[in-house]
Amino acid sequence: MIPTAHEIRGTTHGTAPTPLSVLDLVTVGAGRTATDALRTSVALAKLTESRRFHRYWVAEHHSMPGVASSSPAVILAHLAAHTTRIRLGSGGVMLPNHAPLVIAEQFGTLEAMAPGRVDLGLGRAPGTDGATAAALRRTDRLNEGADDFPEQLAELIRFLDDDFPDGHRYRRIHAVPGPIQATSPGGVQSPHRPPVWLLGSSGFSARLAGALGLPFAFAHHFSAQNTVPALDLYRESFRPSAVLDEPYALIGVSALATEDPREARRQVMAAALNMIRLRTGRPGLVPTPEEAETYEFSPMEREFMDSWNANVIHGTPDEVRTGLDDLHKRTGADELMITGNAHSGDVRLRSYELIADAYGLPAA
């Protein structure tokens, strides 16, 4: 069964001007473990579900000690066991890293575990460096995977729908769990399949999502300068489909709320230092705010930090709400997906709670 537009769009709760969702990078702070980070993810999923956030996505990354989300499907299965309502999904699975059949099987299994609340967000970047991407794909021809993205996407959707045409080499191959299991003498309807989203940080996926009539998620949190042009391109390219009759776009945004705005500044400075190390080939665990305060930033690093933090909405709950509302007005996004990066899991949990309070979302 094709996903409904209502499931994609969701429902606004409280006084939020648009649905609020969560992007979890499963960050690991210095002195903590991946086990700690995953426990925080469970607590965060349960908290944000109780506060009526709309969806909860995890992102595929590899070879990054401070990001424990290399296997989104595994994490989502764990979160499905601890939640009942919130939509769960990938933000995203990097399609060129995987055979389409494998993804169809994984997300068909997730759909069977949590019927009607699984999203499949897909990206065309590797989610890592070139050497790691080559190890994942068993090939050094990395550009080929990105260039073949539309064909890989079409194949994946065929597997999800189990509708390869007669004569196709995959006609007799079925992604299980999937629609084939619904075929019975009793005429049981085909099961629901996860909505497919395209993710991007430039214009390629925006144009493709529009042409296919799919929902689109843009990575504003690390490509803010491209947000408005990409959303404009998506809307201009949009063609109605069986999934959507009009465009639907969410944007990922970095936001962190604390009672004391000085503490928010300390936390985002540590997250920026972590990004500096990642961008310069020195990935590690997310440093503590104390380490960031004593770190001697070079002029170039300080310039990067200031530029990076200019796109992180942080401060008191009211300040964060104002920043999110302004961003919503400026971009016209249909949904805001908040990623709150900090060294401490407790700080992250408290941030989402404060943002929920600022928007008057239902109390836990």
Side-chain angles (χ1 to χ4, degrees), residues 256-297:
L256 190 77
T258 60
E259 285 91 345
D260 183 348
R262 293 172 297 181
E263 180 60 23
R265 174 65 181 173
R266 293 176 72 243
Q267 295 290 339
V268 300
M269 185 167 68
L273 175 57
N274 182 60
M275 184 57 60
I276 288 170
R277 289 171 171 169
L278 177 63
R279 292 286 180 91
T280 55
R282 300 172 291 153
L285 303 180
V286 179
T288 64
E290 292 75 19
E291 180 182 354
E293 285 180 322
T294 59
Y295 181 82
E296 294 186 8
F297 291 87

Side-chain angles (χ1 to χ4, degrees), residues 1 179 182 188-192:
M1 185 182 298
V188 177
Q189 278 192 331
S190 296
H192 200 285

Side-chain angles (χ1 to χ4, degrees), residues 38-318:
L38 290 164
R39 285 174 177 160
T40 295
S41 292
V42 170
L44 182 56
K46 293 169 72 173
L47 169 68
T48 51
E49 176 175 71
S50 71
R51 299 304 302 268
R52 311 302 287 183
F53 282 73
H54 180 49
R55 70 183 93 236
Y56 192 108
W57 283 4
V58 295
E60 178 184 346
H61 293 86
H62 298 279
S63 197
M64 299 178 188
V67 181
S69 58
S70 58
S71 301
V74 176
I75 296 171
L76 293 171
H78 187 53
L79 297 180
H82 289 85
T83 57
T84 59
R85 180 202 60 83
I86 196 167
R87 296 194 64 84
L88 301 170
S90 56
V93 165
M94 301 296 110
L95 179 53
N97 292 344
H98 312 277
L101 176 58
V102 172
I103 298 175
E105 290 174 335
Q106 290 176 346
F107 279 76
T109 302
L110 287 168
E111 179 65 29
M113 290 177 174
R117 62 186 186 105
V118 175
D119 298 323
L120 174 51
L122 300 166
R124 61 190 285 265
T128 188
D129 60 271
T132 306
L136 283 165
R137 304 177 194 178
R138 307 297 294 173
T139 178
D140 292 326
R141 291 154 46 178
L142 300 182
N143 289 335
E144 186 177 278
D147 293 341
D148 290 347
F149 184 79
E151 290 76 16
Q152 292 176 310
L153 174 63
E155 182 179 307
L156 172 56
I157 292 175
R158 290 284 192 184
F159 276 124
L160 289 170
D161 291 335
D162 194 36
D163 68 349
F164 283 102
D166 290 339
H168 194 282
R169 61 176 177 163
Y170 295 152
R171 181 66 185 91
R172 299 180 65 183
I173 300 174
H174 310 284
V176 178
I180 187 175
Q181 291 186 304
T183 304
S184 71
V188 177
Q189 278 192 331
S190 296
H192 200 285
R193 75 153 171 83
V196 171
W197 291 67
L198 295 194
L199 280 58
S201 57
S202 62
F204 181 93
S205 291
R207 184 182 289 107
L208 182 60
L212 297 177
L214 296 176
F216 177 57
F218 186 81
H220 173 82
H221 54 297
F222 65 80
S223 188
Q225 72 278 8
N226 292 325
T227 303
V228 171
L231 294 183
D232 287 345
L233 182 58
Y234 169 60
R235 292 165 183 144
E236 292 165 3
S237 304
F238 187 83
R239 299 293 180 269
S241 68
V243 176
L244 287 173
D245 55 5
E246 59 186 20
Y248 189 90
L250 69 74
I251 58 174
V253 52
S254 290
L256 190 77
T258 60
E259 285 91 345
D260 183 348
R262 293 172 297 181
E263 180 60 23
R265 174 65 181 173
R266 293 176 72 243
Q267 295 290 339
V268 300
M269 185 167 68
L273 175 57
N274 182 60
M275 184 57 60
I276 288 170
R277 289 171 171 169
L278 177 63
R279 292 286 180 91
T280 55
R282 300 172 291 153
L285 303 180
V286 179
T288 64
E290 292 75 19
E291 180 182 354
E293 285 180 322
T294 59
Y295 181 82
E296 294 186 8
F297 291 87
S298 70
M300 185 176 297
E301 288 174 334
R302 186 162 294 280
E303 182 180 353
F304 175 90
M305 180 181 69
D306 291 341
S307 175
W308 182 264
N309 285 343
N311 293 310
V312 179
I313 299 172
H314 60 283
T316 65
D318 286 342

